Structure formats: structure tokens, C-alpha cells
Amino acid sequence: MSDVEEKEALFSKKNRQLLINPLDSDNPITVQVLGICSALAITVKLEPAIVMSLSVLFVLSAGNVIISLMRNIIPSRIRIIVQLVVVAALVILVDQVLKAYLFDVSKQLSVFVGLIITNCIVMGRFEAFALGNTPWKSFLDGIGNSAGYGLILVVIAFIRELFGSGALMGQQVIPDSFYDAGYANNGMMLLPPMALIVVGVIIWVQRWFNPSLEEAN
Amino acid sequence: MDTNKNSYTFMFAIVMVVVVAFLLSFAATSLKPLQDRNIKLEKMQNILKTVGVEVTREQAEVEFSKYIKSGVVIDPTGNVIDEAKGADVEKGLAFSGDVKHAVAKKQYPIFIAEVKGETFYVIPLFGMGMWSDIWGNVALKADKNTIYGINFDHKSETAGLGAEIATEIFQKEWIGKQIMEDANGGFTDANFASVTAIKGGADPSDTHGVDAISGGTVTSVATSKMFHDRVALYLPYFNNLK
């Protein structure tokens, strides 16, 4: 760690950007196109999407710090394996603790906890950021990226649950009078392909407001 | 320190694996009793729910011994091979035994409950859904024919579709349905009608059909099959009881 870095304020402009950029201009899902798999799988309902976002928040920020602490002693030839072991160990730990202390939450998450391992964002941030930065910066980067991931997840889940099931957080929000008047839930919204289309629409809207993201061709 | 040397790489890998293995096995073994207890209490909670007793997980243990009078294990001919009564039910084979492999082991568990003077027979269910295991419990009234309460749960059915079997809306439909074609026809295989989830909706007057879940056809069919296959095992026992 160099002197310059040590003197840097905890929330300097650069560090703040680590937190804020992933929410929009460097969003893991819509800009880096990572973590699409889980964005399709668990966004049928709002609640699992939120819990999944929180679990990723924990795994990514803790994992980033661990990898960053070990960054100078990890042999570069097996670094991917080391990253995999760290994320797998963290995920199993989370799963075990949930089963013992938060049984109801763990039942809701069921397979999703294991899915965190396959989340490209986690490995992506370990490799691209934590291996080359200090623990505090890596921690902020982890929080920022999982927040950016969670934001998109919640938006997709909101749209899918609202139009697919007429509900939010499991509570019906579209009044019965709508159904009586001939309104029907869009069953397509519950199927994975619609998540992809919703992601596409979000990317389109985002680039409309933020033309700097468009590739020059 | 040269972190690119082969010897260092090997040492690092070995140390890492040992540390992680120790950490995880420590976490798993130290949390195991708590996890097992949660699973046991949930099982009690689910059984009680089918006979109309709603309790929190913490109360489940006390209430279970109060309402569940005995846990019986029968063989394929309907003979009782194990019976635990009162406070011993949770230690008996019926409760601690393996519902998943009950068919292979030829040991079918059933619980007899008494709530407000009424007798109920609770049958644990187990089967394969679309992706993985599904399970549940069904309580039959004293006539051993009418469904009093039922619950289903699943490991990994599709959220919003197959997973809906675990919701109140789907389970409510099963209440009051009858498993025998003719209520007075005896508990024979020929008279066994079971209850089936019907795609496109069941006629409300149909005592053997419930509405299947739209978009969850495979899970609905699997649930009907589980119900049919498991409940059929108890017909000889019901016949003996009569």
C-alpha cells in the first residue's frame, strides 16, 4: 500500500465513484452484461429478487475484501481457482447460517443461494478489481456493483410480478374490478424470455438517457 | 517471495484447501443440531396444520404431543409394525423414519390425531415434481375418505408456476374432496378414485378433481401422481381398521 493511498480520505471522490458508477454508467447488468443468468432466473417475483440482491451484496463485498487482502500472496497461475474457492466457501457458509438461524428465509431462497456461485459478477469483480486494489476500495466496489445488480434485478422483478401475476411482494395490487372488466395477467411475463426482453428495454432506455454508453461505429 | 514458483503454488493450494475444508466442516457440524431442529419443528408444524392447528415453529413441539395421539408404521398388507403413542411419537419410527424411501423399505408412516374430539389420519406424501422433490401431508377425516387439510411443499419448482402448489390458494381446493369413488364401497383398489389436478379447471361438483395450476402442468400432474401413489398404500390399513 503506497503512502498516497493511505492518506486518501475514506470517501474521496474516487472512492465515491466506485460506489456510484455501477448504479448507472458502469452497471454490471446493463453495461458490463454480467449476471444476466440470475437476472432471468429469479425475477419472477419481487421478494426473492430482493433477498438474492442482499445475498450477493454480502458475498461480493466480503469476497472482494478477502481476495484483496490475499492479492499479493495468490499465485497468479491458480488465481481463478482461488477465487472460486473463496466464493464457494462464502456461499456455503451463508447457506448453512441461514438454515440454522433464518430458516424461513433460507426456504424461500432454496436453490438461489447456490446460484450466487455461478453469478459472473462475483468472479468478474474479483478478477478485475479486488486482485489489484486495496481492501477498502474493493469493499466499496463490491457494495457498488451488487447494488447496481440489485437495482436492475428489482426493476425487472417489479415489472414481471406486476404484469405477470398482478401482484407485488405476493400481494395482489391490480384490483378485481380490472379483471372483471376483461384485464388478464400476461403469462408470458412469468417465463424467462420476457426477462431478457425487459433487460433489453432497460438497456435501451438507459442508453437513450446516457448516449455516452453507445458504441461508436 | 516468488509467488510463481511451482512449489509455492502447490503449498498455497494445499494450505488453502485445508483451511477452507476445516472452516466449512466446522461450520456445518456446529450448526447441524440447530438445522435439524428447524427441520423437525417444521415437519411437526406441517402435520399440525393439516388438522387445523396453526402454530409457530417454536410452539410446534409442545402442541404436537398434545394433538398427535400416535404415530403408526404399517407394512404393505396394512399390518401395524411399529406404534408410538403420546410424547413418544416424535421418537417413533413413523416420525423419525424416512418418508422418501418409505415405499422401498415397505414401511409406511401414518399419524393419528385427535382435535376437539375428532379423529384424523395424517398421511405424509412424497414424490418427484418437475425439477426435484415435492412433498406434503394430507389429513383425512374419521371416515378415512374426506380430505380435511392438506399441504404441499417443494424443493425447486419454478417460482410463480409449479411453485404455486405450496400456496394456500391451491391447497384450499383439496379440502372436502374424497378419495374413494363410493364412500360406502370399502377401501379397495377398484373403489379408489384419488384426487387429481385437472388442466383447464375442475367442475366444482367433482369430488375427485381440483383446478391445476396454469403454467404449472408438469408439477400439477406430479402432485396428483404423488397423492395417488402414496394414499393408495394405506388402503389395506384402512380396510383393517374398519
Side-chain angles (χ1 to χ4, degrees), chain A residues 160-215:
Chain A
R160 288 182 74 189
E161 190 175 3
L162 182 63
F163 293 108
S165 319
L168 288 174
M169 302 292 284
Q171 303 293 319
Q172 190 184 337
V173 289
I174 294 181
D176 284 329
S177 55
F178 275 52
Y179 291 102
D180 295 339
Y183 175 83
N185 286 329
N186 184 348
M188 263 286 266
M189 274 292 176
L190 298 176
L191 302 173
M194 278 312 285
L196 205 57
I197 292 171
V198 174
V199 174
V201 171
I202 293 175
I203 293 179
W204 175 42
V205 171
Q206 190 190 12
R207 293 189 176 206
W208 183 21
F209 284 106
N210 195 346
S212 64
L213 293 172
E214 279 174 41
E215 291 85 3

Side-chain angles (χ1 to χ4, degrees), chain B:
Chain B
M1 190 165 48
D2 180 9
T3 59
N4 281 320
K5 261 181 21 197
N6 279 346
S7 53
Y8 178 81
T9 306
F10 274 113
M11 276 312 292
F12 187 91
I14 292 166
V15 170
M16 177 183 71
V17 168
V18 169
V19 169
V20 170
F22 179 79
L23 196 75
L24 289 187
S25 37
F26 177 75
T29 38
S30 57
L31 294 173
K32 186 93 174 123
L34 278 167
Q35 295 171 352
D36 286 346
R37 195 177 145 73
N38 281 335
I39 291 167
K40 185 179 112 183
L41 292 179
E42 196 201 20
K43 193 172 168 184
M44 290 178 166
Q45 206 183 4
N46 284 338
I47 291 174
L48 285 174
K49 209 173 150 194
T50 59
V51 293
V53 182
E54 293 269 2
V55 290
T56 63
R57 216 172 31 247
E58 285 69 36
Q59 299 170 315
E61 211 160 14
V62 182
E63 303 289 307
F64 189 79
S65 53
K66 198 152 94 195
Y67 291 109
I68 308 298
K69 295 299 172 197
S70 66
V72 179
V73 178
I74 57 160
D75 68 5
T77 53
N79 294 321
V80 175
I81 48 180
D82 187 86
E83 184 168 10
K85 283 183 191 267
D88 292 332
V89 174
E90 62 171 284
K91 291 182 212 120
L93 186 60
F95 187 78
S96 58
D98 181 358
V99 179
K100 183 174 184 174
H101 298 112
V103 177
K105 286 182 177 165
K106 297 196 165 54
Q107 295 175 340
Y108 315 144
I110 181 166
F111 300 95
I112 299 162
E114 236 181 84
V115 184
K116 295 183 192 125
E118 262 191 279
T119 306
F120 299 103
Y121 296 87
V122 184
I123 299 175
L125 307 169
F126 196 97
M128 273 301 287
M130 179 165 172
W131 301 112
S132 185
D133 301 343
I134 52 175
W135 61 89
N137 295 285
V138 54
L140 299 174
K141 287 189 185 171
D143 63 359
K144 308 172 209 67
N145 180 26
T146 316
I147 297 177
Y148 181 75
I150 197 163
N151 55 45
F152 298 116
D153 209 344
H154 65 97
K155 193 170 170 193
S156 48
E157 297 307 296
T158 319
L161 302 174
E164 298 289 301
I165 59 165
T167 60
E168 203 80 3
I169 307 160
F170 178 67
Q171 293 167 12
K172 237 174 33 202
E173 289 198 54
W174 294 71
I175 294 168
K177 302 291 175 190
Q178 300 188 337
I179 59 167
M180 306 313 289
E181 190 65 57
D182 174 6
N184 302 316
F187 297 98
T188 60
D189 284 337
N191 192 26
F192 182 54
S194 189
V195 179
T196 313
I198 295 164
K199 193 177 174 175
D203 193 314
S205 64
D206 184 355
T207 52
H208 308 295
V210 296
D211 291 346
I213 296 153
S214 36
T217 307
V218 178
T219 310
S220 300
V221 170
T223 308
S224 309
K225 184 179 178 322
M226 163 174 84
F227 184 87
H228 175 277
D229 293 357
R230 285 289 168 134
V231 174
L233 301 173
Y234 296 87
L235 296 179
Y237 173 69
F238 290 157
N239 220 9
N240 293 354
L241 278 182
K242 207 170 49 147

Side-chain angles (χ1 to χ4, degrees), chain A:
Chain A
M1 208 186 284
S2 71
D3 287 343
V4 188
E5 271 174 319
E6 265 180 305
K7 277 174 200 146
E8 200 177 319
L10 278 184
F11 286 101
S12 65
K13 191 164 180 256
K14 242 161 100 191
N15 284 350
R16 278 205 309 273
Q17 271 173 352
L18 287 176
L19 270 176
I20 296 161
N21 278 353
L23 293 181
D24 179 25
S25 61
D26 200 17
N27 190 285
I29 295 185
T30 61
V31 179
Q32 301 174 41
V33 200
L34 293 173
I36 291 286
C37 352
S38 52
L40 304 188
I42 55 147
T43 50
V44 173
K45 290 196 163 166
L46 201 49
E47 203 173 346
I50 292 172
V51 185
M52 178 71 166
S53 305
L54 292 176
S55 316
V56 169
L57 186 85
F58 169 77
V59 171
L60 186 53
S61 46
N64 253 359
V65 170
I66 294 173
I67 291 287
S68 172
L69 285 171
M70 299 200 303
R71 70 188 186 282
N72 293 325
I73 59 164
I74 296 176
S76 64
R77 271 180 294 177
I78 57 164
R79 67 179 195 285
I80 300 284
I81 301 173
V82 175
Q83 291 164 16
L84 206 59
V85 170
V86 168
V87 62
L90 278 173
V91 167
I92 296 170
L93 222 51
V94 169
D95 191 35
Q96 294 289 327
V97 170
L98 285 181
K99 272 188 188 146
Y101 294 105
L102 291 165
F103 192 62
D104 297 312
V105 176
S106 96
K107 269 189 62 192
Q108 248 170 31
L109 282 179
S110 61
V111 289
F112 304 140
V113 176
L115 274 179
I116 298 173
I117 299 179
T118 65
N119 194 326
C120 335
I121 295 173
V122 179
M123 292 288 283
R125 294 325 292 173
F126 285 1
E127 175 76 8
F129 197 89
L131 271 179
N133 286 282
T134 56
W136 172 244
K137 282 190 171 175
S138 304
F139 177 73
L140 292 178
D141 179 77
I143 300 274
N145 272 283
S146 41
Y149 165 80
L151 180 73
I152 301 296
L153 225 60
V154 167
V155 170
I156 303 172
F158 179 87
I159 295 171
R160 288 182 74 189
E161 190 175 3
L162 182 63
F163 293 108
S165 319
L168 288 174
M169 302 292 284
Q171 303 293 319
Q172 190 184 337
V173 289
I174 294 181
D176 284 329
S177 55
F178 275 52
Y179 291 102
D180 295 339
Y183 175 83
N185 286 329
N186 184 348
M188 263 286 266
M189 274 292 176
L190 298 176
L191 302 173
M194 278 312 285
L196 205 57
I197 292 171
V198 174
V199 174
V201 171
I202 293 175
I203 293 179
W204 175 42
V205 171
Q206 190 190 12
R207 293 189 176 206
W208 183 21
F209 284 106
N210 195 346
S212 64
L213 293 172
E214 279 174 41
E215 291 85 3
N217 48 6

